[in-house]
Amino acid sequence: MERSRKQRLKQVEQPRMINRTILAMIICLMGMSLVTIFSTTYLQFDGGRIFPTIMQFIWYIVGFIGMSVVMQLDRKTIYHFAPVLYGIGIVLLVLVLFLYDRQQYVMFGAKSWFTIGPLSFQPSELMKFFYILMIGRLISEYTQRSQRMDYEHLPVKEQIRWDLKFIGRMIGWTIVPAGLILIQNDFGTTLVFMMIFVGMVFVSGINWRIIVPVALTLSLIFLILLFLVVYNRDLLYHLGFQDYQFARIDSWLAPFENTRRDSYQLSQSIKAIGSGGMFGKGFGNFEVYVPVRESDMIFTTVGENFGFLGASLLVFFYFILMFQMIAVAYESYDSFYIAGTAGIVSMLVFHIVENIGMSTGLLPLTGIPLPFLSQGGSALMTTMLCMGFILSIQYNQKRSEQEIQSQWLNRMIRKMSGGATIDHFVWH
């Protein structure tokens, strides 16, 4: 009796693992963010402001708290709470269409922000995380059902029919948030959702006979659209494309042709990064003016102040972070964790490639921030919540159900979700 009691206590008190490499990379990126924002907003101009750097630091503190909370949640809790979060996200996306910040709309042309006092909040950013959890749950259900029906031994036609039905379900759960964000006139964030969808489809286990033709079709559509942009825009106008979108593509194709208007930001960005050379001009030293450096164009500060070496160090931090995230997920051998991590990695990689690509003239300009670095609370909070999900994989790996149930947060969230299942709505 006494021995079994000691064994139970020993099981409950197993050490919890925190991936120190991921945590170290987040801290390194936080340091680079604070340094570059301080340099951009305080040192660049006479009478610069320290407030943006303070706010970024506060958002990081809030982000670490949110990350710690999500890290405490085990797989079962997150899995069952995913539909609730998805529903909350949809409600917020609907509300912002009516309660959007008018001033932000005039400045950026998008109905994407709530404003409460001095703070603004973008619900589409949080929806990225909620959407990833929801699609991860769908993929986990698909994997379990495929195993029960012995998918590998089904005829090819039956596999394709089963997979096409599942893709249709995934599209159904994707089109609602993506459509609402498109109505907000936020094409950049809509692209992010598309990339998350593509990344999660690739790890879902769907037959390659579907994935390859779809990938080739999407590539062909992209090439056709690019051809029409250059040679026949009338058709694209009828499809709903707008002048500002064409202007961004024009500035991408010819960044130094219209530097006084549409290409001004991109041409200045290229000049700033190029002027940094190998080692940069030094902390706080600027010679080229670039609009909105502190947010979407933060990479220009890295390039100009710290040069090629500083930019390479930043990319190295990102690479180590992505590699560790993927390794942690695949070591879990859990379809929900693997799918969720694939969505997060797809989101972050698209943000990184698009932001750095647009800053250097390799890709068209979009309003997509650089993860961990750009000023902004909504995007940073979403990224930190995603990191909490990744850290929760190893953190809860050796925890017993008894220990998990002993935490009030897990008990409360499980009770809120009611252990509810969406199987009826998803599969029937």
Side-chain angles (χ1 to χ4, degrees):
M1 184 78 176
E2 184 65 23
R3 185 178 177 183
S4 62
R5 181 173 175 273
K6 288 181 179 179
Q7 287 177 339
R8 287 197 302 270
L9 289 173
K10 185 177 180 181
Q11 185 181 22
V12 170
E13 294 171 0
Q14 286 178 335
R16 304 169 187 177
M17 292 180 60
I18 298 177
N19 190 298
R20 295 180 181 178
T21 304
I22 291 177
L23 191 59
M25 290 302 102
I26 294 172
I27 293 172
C28 288
L29 290 168
M30 178 185 74
M32 292 194 75
S33 174
L34 297 176
V35 165
T36 51
I37 290 175
F38 178 76
S39 178
T40 302
T41 59
Y42 186 76
L43 299 179
Q44 182 176 192
F45 307 107
D46 293 333
R49 300 183 304 147
I50 193 67
F51 181 74
T53 307
I54 295 173
M55 283 304 303
Q56 186 75 353
F57 180 72
I58 292 173
W59 275 116
Y60 256 108
I61 297 300
V62 175
F64 273 111
I65 294 172
M67 183 181 76
S68 300
V69 170
V70 175
M71 185 178 68
Q72 303 284 334
L73 305 179
D74 68 300
R75 181 200 188 280
K76 184 178 179 180
T77 303
I78 298 174
Y79 180 87
H80 284 302
F81 201 49
V84 178
L85 293 175
Y86 179 89
I88 292 172
I90 294 298
V91 170
L92 291 175
L93 290 179
V94 172
L95 288 177
V96 79
L97 292 172
F98 303 97
L99 305 176
Y100 62 91
D101 185 316
R102 268 58 178 177
Q103 186 177 355
Q104 297 270 15
Y105 175 68
V106 171
M107 291 173 60
F108 303 108
K111 303 175 182 179
S112 302
W113 291 271
F114 291 115
T115 297
I116 304 173
L119 299 177
S120 60
F121 165 67
Q122 193 172 358
S124 59
E125 288 292 338
L126 270 183
M127 189 64 205
K128 294 175 186 176
F129 179 54
F130 300 161
Y131 168 76
I132 288 169
L133 296 182
M134 188 69 230
I135 299 299
R137 174 174 170 139
L138 296 182
I139 291 174
S140 180
E141 291 284 350
Y142 162 82
T143 302
Q144 294 171 18
R145 286 174 173 263
S146 296
Q147 290 172 351
R148 288 198 294 268
M149 66 185 295
D150 199 14
Y151 175 90
E152 296 295 333
H153 294 92
L154 290 175
V156 173
K157 288 185 179 180
E158 187 66 21
Q159 289 181 357
I160 292 176
R161 187 186 68 82
W162 172 255
D163 288 345
L164 286 175
K165 287 178 64 176
F166 175 63
I167 290 176
R169 296 181 184 105
M170 286 183 68
I171 292 173
W173 289 90
T174 302
I175 201 169
V176 176
L180 288 171
I181 293 168
L182 198 58
I183 293 172
Q184 295 173 15
N185 200 26
D186 190 351
F187 184 69
T189 303
T190 307
L191 283 178
V192 176
F193 274 79
M194 292 173 61
M195 293 308 301
I196 293 171
F197 176 82
V198 170
M200 298 185 78
V201 164
F202 269 97
V203 300
S204 64
I206 290 173
N207 198 301
W208 63 268
R209 293 178 179 86
I210 296 175
I211 292 178
V212 172
V214 170
L216 292 175
T217 302
L218 291 176
S219 300
L220 181 61
I221 291 173
F222 172 78
L223 292 175
I224 292 172
L225 288 175
L226 189 59
F227 176 83
L228 292 175
V229 166
V230 178
Y231 297 105
N232 186 2
R233 294 185 176 180
D234 292 338
L235 178 60
L236 295 179
Y237 276 118
H238 289 299
L239 293 175
F241 284 79
Q242 300 180 24
D243 287 328
Y244 80 92
Q245 293 168 332
F246 291 126
R248 289 182 174 182
I249 296 174
D250 288 337
S251 64
W252 168 50
L253 296 174
F256 294 101
E257 277 193 11
N258 189 11
T259 56
R260 292 188 177 183
R261 292 187 59 192
D262 298 329
S263 299
Y264 176 73
Q265 188 179 38
L266 179 57
S267 63
Q268 293 296 100
S269 173
I270 294 172
K271 290 176 185 176
I273 294 171
S275 67
M278 179 63 69
F279 303 103
K281 299 172 183 174
F283 181 49
N285 292 322
F286 297 90
E287 295 177 1
V288 182
Y289 172 72
V290 181
V292 294
R293 266 191 196 259
E294 67 278 5
S295 54
D296 296 343
M297 309 305 289
I298 194 71
F299 186 74
T300 62
T301 297
V302 178
E304 189 169 5
N305 281 188
F306 308 112
F308 178 78
L309 291 181
S312 298
L313 181 63
L314 173 63
V315 173
F316 176 73
F317 287 156
Y318 282 134
F319 174 78
I320 296 298
L321 180 63
M322 300 302 143
F323 179 82
Q324 281 293 312
M325 289 165 60
I326 294 170
V328 166
Y330 276 88
E331 286 174 3
S332 71
Y333 299 102
D334 186 288
S335 58
F336 178 61
Y337 281 143
I338 291 173
T341 302
I344 293 169
V345 170
S346 299
M347 177 187 74
L348 293 178
V349 168
F350 180 72
H351 271 260
I352 293 164
V353 171
E354 172 58 31
N355 186 279
I356 295 177
M358 75 178 188
S359 299
T360 54
L362 297 176
L363 294 171
L365 282 172
T366 55
I368 292 180
L370 189 59
F372 297 101
L373 257 71
S374 293
Q375 177 187 327
S378 301
L380 179 58
M381 190 66 192
T382 298
T383 306
M384 296 297 280
L385 291 176
C386 290
M387 293 302 101
F389 174 81
I390 301 296
L391 291 173
S392 73
I393 299 174
Q394 284 187 334
Y395 186 81
N396 293 287
Q397 192 172 24
K398 295 183 178 180
R399 297 174 72 193
S400 65
E401 180 65 19
Q402 183 181 354
E403 184 182 5
I404 292 169
Q405 289 278 15
S406 68
Q407 288 192 321
W408 67 270
L409 185 61
N410 281 297
R411 291 200 309 272
M412 181 186 71
I413 292 179
R414 287 187 184 186
K415 188 174 181 180
M416 287 174 61
S417 60
T421 179
I422 56 167
D423 291 354
H424 177 77
F425 300 101
V426 175
W427 296 101
H428 299 285

